[in-house]
Amino acid sequence: MNKKSSRVCGYPLSIFFIVVNEFCERFSYYGMRAVLVLYFKYFLRWDDDLATSIYHTFVALCYLTPILGAIVADSWLGKFKTIIYLSIVYAIGQVAMAVSAIHDITDTDRDGTPDNMTFHVVLSMVGLFLIALGTGGIKPCVAAFGGDQFSDHQDRQRRTFFSVFYLCINGGSLLSTIITPILRAQDCGIHSQQKCYSLAFGVPAALMLVALVVFIVGSGMYYKAEPQGNIMLDVCKCIGFAIKNRYRHRSNQYPKRQHWMDWAEEKYDKLLIAQIKMVLKVLFLYIPLPMFWTLFDQKGSRWTLQATTMNGYFGSLVIQPDQMQTVNPILILTLVPIMDSVIYPLINKCGLNFTPLKRMTVGMLLAAIAFVCAALVQIEIDKTLPTFPSTSQSQLKLLNMGSETVTIKMPGNDPLNLTAAQVSGQINISVGHPEVRNTISLAKGQRQTLLIPLTITDEWLMTDDITSKPQEGNNAIRFVNGMKTAVNVSIPAANFGLIEPFSYSNYSLIKNGKVTFTLWSGSQSCEYSTDFGFGSSYTFFIPSTLVFGPNCQESITAAEDIKPNSVHMALQIPQYFFITAGEVMFSVTGLEFSYSQAPSNMKAVLQAGWLFTVAIGNFIVLIVAELAKLPKQWAEYVLFASLLVAVCFIFSIMAYFYTYIDPAEIEAQFKKNVNEDDEDNKHKLQKTERFYRKLFSGGTLKQYTA
Ligand SMILES: CC(C)C[C@H](NC(=O)[C@@H](N)CC(C)C)C(=O)O
């Protein structure tokens, strides 16, 4: 094999183009993904369920298409051409997404909304399909192509390459997940200014083109392994023949063979059989691995939801719940160099042989620890959550809208004095109590507020209050108007509308931070400013005594229906730390392991097998979450952690019996022996065969040194 491209510090120069390509491609992918759900929801106007389902289907597809790309690369086009062609498909997909997000194209009435939504939906779905084909298709090829650039003796350099490759993945994704949401938030358009999704998709499209150009520029420097015919078809036929032949010779009269694949020997090349054995051995080892990804991929779902129930104020910096996910790539950028240059060498110095499979096992355990941390944080959060009424209970609040003190006697409760404009705390009442006055009807499982009018003999009003934490860390706000005139309340982001006298508005969701409400009654106005945290709910009461003017703020009463989140988001950092440390040990190692243990003609196929474990992991999340349906979130985290520990135990046993191989060495031996036909070499061939028979039945070929 001639792999003599120009070298810098012992590394082939060609890998520079490959890692830059990966950086740009991951920027493109994660940047587009960061705004995808919002595009579905706010541009295509889909509901939450549809948006989430299509999003997850897209992500799952991105991890299924690697198999397609790998087969094309290993059997037909070779990795280089596959990367070029699929990158073009990918870039077209990104451009289609950017064009689909230009509202002006179909906005014939120029009101800012597209008039032919079908056009935008179809174009974006075609775009997403092409992107899934492209990103998934090239993924196993780029990693394997990078590995191909190293000579067989450059194990150490190749390991460093996979670490740098992983750094580029995370550098690109980190940058894009910060940048594209900012681009989306800009206003742009020809006839009307709207949120700029076209720019948020356009920049990733441009980066994909850059990735393609960079990859082509390096063309003259790459080592390009030629595909060796339709290898996947040969593999399938060979396996099929071995199974059939074994079945035909099932009777005891036929001598047993070392490995069931040896039953293909009558028809197939010994080298191919040996290569299939190598692949099957690794694929067998992959069986427990999806469980790691099951936990890992919950960062983007469960953990982000957990963050929405937490307080994101870091001093003057406010972190939004979904921004917590960037902790993962940030930690990757710091942990990969630390592991490579400090931790692993230190472990080595201690005389421990920290083999790839041991690293992966430890990575799994770290992920399980991360979920135990998540469960502990959840228990803390649960302590701070309001107690909502059970199905046989009602909760009632009283708000005295009058200017006199009233005394309220409730069955089973002490008399309660409420001064003017005062709101009581929650009162728990068992519904169906015989003494409850029939003038108010309490609803089971509900929180309600009884608005006591200015004149006590007037009709009493009951409001239905919020019975769950507002979603996504928002604050649910409403106004009660105790004045004799209607009041209009607005803020730049929401309008509560005109609130009639002795009436109340619906809840509006408001983001955290300082908000100034403007109250209008006729030509008179009043400004009311307040600071919101995350996940609270308030009822603001406008009393009959309100005097519009500069000091009006003091007359308004804020009744806290749900406390703002108090458990700090920083408490999620340990779980992010453990899952990322686990990822470095598991994923970076697995990437390199999949390359190093694959036969030369199936490198991309094994990379695809590795990525397939990610796809399966994502499906397991859906299945376990559906089946388990645990009432407490912390219990679900503990369940996932326990499942991973169990799987990790099985994996460690499988790993114990795994023998590391050097595929290049095995292949070289077979090729050499097949080419020589004298007696001596026939003898050698037999010796080699005996050697590999021993190997595939569990002997030790290569002592792995980290
Ligand atoms: C499944 C992984 C091999 C995918 C890998 N992801 C990461 O490296 C993450 N740490 C990135 C983060 C932004 C989620 C990838 O190739 O994207």
Side-chain angles (χ1 to χ4, degrees):
M1 243 186 264
N2 177 22
K3 296 187 177 181
K4 282 195 184 116
S5 84
S6 321
R7 281 170 192 277
V8 180
C9 306
Y11 288 86
L13 189 57
S14 53
I15 58 160
F16 168 79
F17 297 92
I18 296 170
V19 293
V20 173
N21 165 276
E22 184 67 10
F23 177 91
C24 298
E25 188 276 321
R26 289 287 91 182
F27 183 109
S28 180
Y29 173 73
Y30 280 110
M32 182 276 305
R33 226 178 83 164
V35 292
L36 194 57
V37 172
L38 298 180
Y39 167 77
F40 289 156
K41 197 168 165 183
Y42 298 113
F43 190 98
L44 298 183
R45 293 172 196 276
W46 289 352
D47 63 29
D48 283 8
D49 288 345
L50 182 62
T52 317
S53 316
I54 299 292
Y55 174 82
H56 284 293
T57 310
F58 167 71
V59 174
L61 200 62
C62 290
Y63 286 105
L64 289 176
T65 46
I67 296 178
L68 217 66
I71 292 175
V72 171
D74 280 348
S75 310
W76 179 30
L77 290 178
K79 296 178 199 94
F80 177 74
K81 282 190 190 153
T82 309
I83 295 170
I84 301 268
Y85 295 154
L86 285 179
S87 294
I88 295 171
V89 170
Y90 188 169
I92 295 173
Q94 289 284 33
V95 171
M97 283 305 287
V99 174
S100 80
I102 304 175
H103 64 275
D104 287 304
I105 295 179
T106 64
D107 186 13
T108 37
D109 59 7
R110 301 186 176 187
D111 66 348
T113 52
D115 296 327
N116 182 358
M117 205 52 106
T118 316
F119 167 82
H120 296 276
V121 172
V122 170
L123 191 58
S124 55
M125 289 307 103
V126 170
L128 285 181
F129 179 74
L130 297 180
I131 292 170
L133 202 65
T135 186
I138 64 172
K139 199 151 176 52
C141 304
V142 178
F145 191 63
D148 283 352
Q149 306 309 310
F150 294 87
S151 307
D152 297 336
H153 64 274
Q154 288 187 299
D155 282 4
R156 188 184 55 79
Q157 284 92 335
R158 201 179 49 219
R159 269 205 295 280
T160 310
F161 158 75
F162 279 112
S163 294
V164 174
F165 187 76
Y166 217 83
L167 286 179
C168 288
I169 291 176
N170 286 273
S173 63
L174 174 63
L175 217 61
S176 67
T177 38
I178 293 171
I179 292 174
T180 48
I182 297 174
L183 298 177
R184 179 200 76 87
Q186 310 304 308
D187 288 330
C188 66
I190 303 164
H191 305 308
S192 65
Q193 297 287 302
Q194 297 297 327
K195 292 283 164 249
C196 210
Y197 288 97
S198 49
L199 188 62
F201 291 140
V203 171
L207 259 288
M208 194 50 222
L209 288 170
V210 174
L212 179 60
V213 171
V214 169
F215 189 71
I216 293 172
V217 169
S219 177
M221 282 174 238
Y222 300 132
Y223 164 74
K224 298 171 194 155
E226 282 302 315
Q228 293 162 23
N230 199 344
I231 182 72
M232 286 321 289
L233 191 66
D234 292 346
V235 168
C236 295
K237 279 185 183 166
C238 183
I239 293 177
F241 180 79
I243 295 172
K244 255 194 289 171
N245 203 26
R246 172 74 188 89
Y247 185 72
R248 265 194 237 122
H249 298 91
R250 62 187 177 281
S251 131
N252 279 345
Q253 72 189 79
Y254 299 106
K256 285 215 161 55
R257 298 189 186 179
Q258 283 278 349
H259 192 283
W260 63 270
M261 269 309 297
D262 293 332
W263 287 97
E265 271 173 358
E266 280 88 333
K267 191 166 166 191
Y268 287 89
D269 185 14
K270 289 197 169 58
L271 174 61
L272 179 69
I273 294 172
Q275 288 170 328
I276 294 176
K277 286 179 191 173
M278 294 180 216
V279 171
L280 291 180
K281 250 163 72 87
V282 179
L283 288 182
F284 176 69
L285 207 58
Y286 282 175
I287 293 172
L289 303 190
M291 203 60 214
F292 174 87
W293 300 115
T294 301
L295 273 73
F296 180 79
D297 278 325
Q298 293 190 44
K299 290 190 297 33
S301 49
R302 292 271 192 255
W303 286 15
T304 304
L305 290 178
Q306 184 183 63
T308 64
T309 59
M310 301 176 85
N311 172 11
Y313 280 100
F314 286 73
S316 56
L317 192 72
V318 182
I319 300 290
Q320 296 300 329
D322 46 353
Q323 286 177 324
M324 273 308 279
Q325 288 179 55
T326 54
V327 172
N328 168 257
I330 292 172
L331 282 175
I332 286 277
L333 295 179
T334 42
L335 284 180
V336 169
I338 294 176
M339 292 281 191
D340 277 357
S341 54
V342 183
I343 309 287
Y344 293 151
L346 215 68
I347 295 176
N348 242 357
K349 269 210 177 111
C350 297
L352 294 171
N353 189 13
F354 203 28
T355 61
L357 295 180
K358 283 185 193 160
R359 287 184 201 178
M360 288 167 73
T361 312
V362 174
M364 285 173 145
L365 287 177
L366 289 174
I369 294 174
F371 264 62
V372 173
C373 293
L376 293 175
V377 169
Q378 192 61 46
I379 290 169
E380 280 310 302
I381 293 171
D382 289 351
K383 282 184 201 158
T384 67
L385 291 180
T387 355
F388 292 110
S390 66
T391 45
S392 63
Q393 262 194 336
S394 269
Q395 286 180 342
L396 186 67
K397 249 185 175 179
L398 306 166
L399 194 166
N400 178 8
M401 299 214 283
S403 45
E404 307 283 326
T405 300
V406 287
T407 302
I408 301 112
K409 286 188 183 150
M410 304 265 271
N413 287 279
D414 292 335
L416 187 71
N417 288 322
L418 282 183
T419 58
Q422 198 193 353
V423 191
S424 73
Q426 297 289 358
I427 304 164
N428 286 326
I429 298 168
S430 290
V431 176
H433 194 289
E435 286 174 63
V436 173
R437 283 179 54 179
N438 58 11
T439 45
I440 58 163
S441 55
L442 299 168
K444 285 183 185 177
Q446 286 294 318
R447 279 186 156 191
Q448 291 166 296
T449 299
L450 177 61
L451 305 177
I452 304 163
L454 201 58
T455 314
I456 201 102
T457 47
D458 284 353
E459 198 188 335
W460 291 27
L461 262 183
M462 286 282 263
T463 69
D464 282 338
D465 303 352
I466 191 164
T467 46
S468 61
K469 271 260 186 199
Q471 293 206 330
E472 296 175 26
N474 288 316
N475 301 284
I477 307 301
R478 66 175 176 176
F479 280 82
V480 171
N481 180 12
M483 298 184 64
K484 290 182 181 154
T485 52
V487 175
N488 189 301
V489 182
S490 66
I491 52 165
N495 191 349
F496 293 81
L498 197 66
I499 311 167
E500 295 298 331
F502 303 118
S503 175
Y504 57 94
S505 72
N506 287 330
Y507 282 104
S508 282
L509 290 180
I510 288 173
K511 286 238 166 284
N512 63 290
K514 193 175 167 83
V515 177
T516 302
F517 298 98
T518 312
L519 283 61
W520 286 94
S521 177
S523 59
Q524 294 177 302
S525 71
C526 165
E527 295 220 322
Y528 180 89
S529 295
T530 187
D531 249 315
F532 290 107
F534 290 85
S536 69
S537 176
Y538 286 94
T539 298
F540 290 101
F541 174 57
I542 308 162
S544 59
T545 49
L546 180 95
V547 182
F548 283 86
N551 295 326
C552 62
Q553 170 134 5
E554 283 141 33
S555 322
I556 295 173
T557 313
E560 190 181 72
D561 298 333
I562 296 176
K563 281 189 180 7
N565 303 343
S566 54
V567 177
H568 203 274
M569 269 187 212
L571 283 189
Q572 277 198 323
I573 290 176
Q575 68 204 55
Y576 270 100
F577 173 81
F578 283 114
I579 200 97
T580 312
E583 182 190 356
V584 174
M585 293 212 169
F586 182 87
S587 185
V588 182
T589 312
L591 197 66
E592 204 271 333
F593 174 80
S594 306
Y595 182 88
S596 68
Q597 299 298 292
S600 58
N601 50 358
M602 286 182 246
K603 296 276 185 203
V605 168
L606 258 196
Q607 287 292 326
W610 168 252
L611 293 169
F612 188 64
T613 63
V614 184
I616 302 289
N618 274 280
F619 286 121
I620 298 178
V621 183
L622 300 175
I623 296 167
V624 176
E626 263 314 298
L627 292 183
K629 286 241 180 291
L630 295 175
K632 291 281 176 203
Q633 184 56 56
W634 66 262
E636 193 183 290
Y637 289 141
V638 173
L639 172 72
F640 276 115
S642 320
L643 284 176
L644 188 59
V645 171
V647 163
C648 181
F649 179 68
I650 297 169
F651 179 73
S652 60
I653 295 173
M654 290 163 80
Y656 179 78
F657 290 103
Y658 183 84
T659 320
Y660 293 93
I661 52 163
D662 183 347
E665 211 176 287
I666 296 177
E667 286 166 357
Q669 287 286 352
F670 270 98
K671 282 174 191 161
K672 190 171 151 227
N673 290 338
V674 164
N675 287 339
E676 298 171 15
D677 56 0
D678 58 53
E679 270 311 302
D680 180 38
N681 282 318
K682 267 190 198 152
H683 175 68
K684 265 195 205 157
L685 178 64
Q686 281 158 6
K687 242 178 93 181
T688 313
E689 276 180 39
R690 277 202 301 278
F691 174 66
Y692 289 113
R693 276 184 202 288
K694 195 170 157 239
L695 162 70
F696 288 118
S697 62
T700 303
L701 169 68
K702 185 179 168 190
Q703 177 64 27
Y704 184 90
T705 42

